[in-house]
Amino acid sequence: MSHSKGLSEKIFSRKIRFVEFTGDWKVKRLGEIFYSEKGKGLSKDKLTVNGKYECLLYGELYTKYKEVIFNVVSKTNEEDGLKSQIGDLLIPSSTTTTGIDLANVTAINKENVLLGGDITVLRSKEKINNIFYAYYLSNYKKEEIANYTQGSTIVHLYYNHMKNMEIDFPSLEEQTKIARFLSSIDAKIETEKNILDKYHSQKQYLLQNLFI
């Protein structure tokens, strides 16, 4: 979940807004803006540190990425399967936990990343900012998306379940402004967190060595 969740809620509900934008947001159904593709089976045992191709497993959408993928962490030598396109949105389509865990939407702006099975890929029919929609869907529409999940032992979420969901459609310019704003906040927080982690490590090292 985004560190900027509280702020994004206010932006997406239009409680706060950038001053240069005043027009109403259109409302469309998700299926009017996006069509879907499916990732192809790619198991963990096919991952290799020195693989030729970048790849992504559906479980990594829970554990390794937030709303935006900046660096792909896994590689494989497998070639066959669905490959990413700039502008894709990725959604895990199954879990053994609860539906809310599937309401994670991640933007990727890198081509030719091999996408594993159980990943639903949303591809836009018109020009949009996919980072805007990653924040919007993962935060503002999270509970609603979770309501579209089905199953008990294994919970599923497919494009056909949610294609009729109504979503906001601001101008591309406003989408881009919001996307840059929210991602810059998260990038800043991540930088500060990394610095803090280094200080904690240094503190632990000093404490261990002071009493030798």
Side-chain angles (χ1 to χ4, degrees), residues 80-128:
D80 188 35
L82 181 71
K83 295 180 180 177
S84 68
Q85 296 179 5
I86 291 173
D88 280 350
L89 289 170
L90 311 178
I91 308 174
S93 57
S94 69
T95 183
T96 56
T97 56
T98 61
I100 199 72
D101 290 332
L102 294 178
N104 288 302
V105 183
T106 305
I108 184 168
N109 283 316
K110 196 166 195 178
E111 292 183 324
N112 297 320
V113 177
L114 197 64
L115 303 175
D118 275 341
I119 295 176
T120 295
V121 184
L122 298 183
R123 289 185 170 161
S124 61
K125 300 175 181 179
E126 50 190 297
K127 200 161 181 63
I128 55 108

Side-chain angles (χ1 to χ4, degrees), residues 109-167:
N109 283 316
K110 196 166 195 178
E111 292 183 324
N112 297 320
V113 177
L114 197 64
L115 303 175
D118 275 341
I119 295 176
T120 295
V121 184
L122 298 183
R123 289 185 170 161
S124 61
K125 300 175 181 179
E126 50 190 297
K127 200 161 181 63
I128 55 108
N129 187 297
N130 67 327
I131 294 176
F132 168 85
Y133 278 104
Y135 279 101
Y136 174 84
L137 294 170
S138 291
N139 294 282
Y140 192 59
K141 287 288 186 174
K142 194 174 191 72
E143 297 287 343
E144 187 174 347
I145 291 172
N147 289 335
Y148 290 105
T149 61
Q150 298 179 5
S152 53
T153 304
I154 299 177
V155 183
H156 296 283
L157 175 67
Y158 297 125
Y159 171 78
N160 283 339
H161 296 166
M162 57 180 180
K163 67 181 181 181
N164 290 319
M165 179 176 69
E166 291 187 342
I167 59 175

Side-chain angles (χ1 to χ4, degrees), residues 45-59:
D45 61 2
K46 298 295 184 183
L47 303 185
T48 176
V49 174
N50 298 314
K52 288 193 243 178
Y53 309 107
E54 292 181 317
C55 65
L56 197 148
L57 301 179
Y58 84 98

Side-chain angles (χ1 to χ4, degrees), residues 16-33:
I16 58 174
R17 203 168 179 192
F18 293 105
V19 293
E20 63 266 40
F21 300 106
T22 56
D24 291 336
W25 288 5
K26 294 179 183 177
V27 175
K28 297 190 177 186
R29 296 190 185 278
L30 184 134
E32 292 181 73
I33 304 172

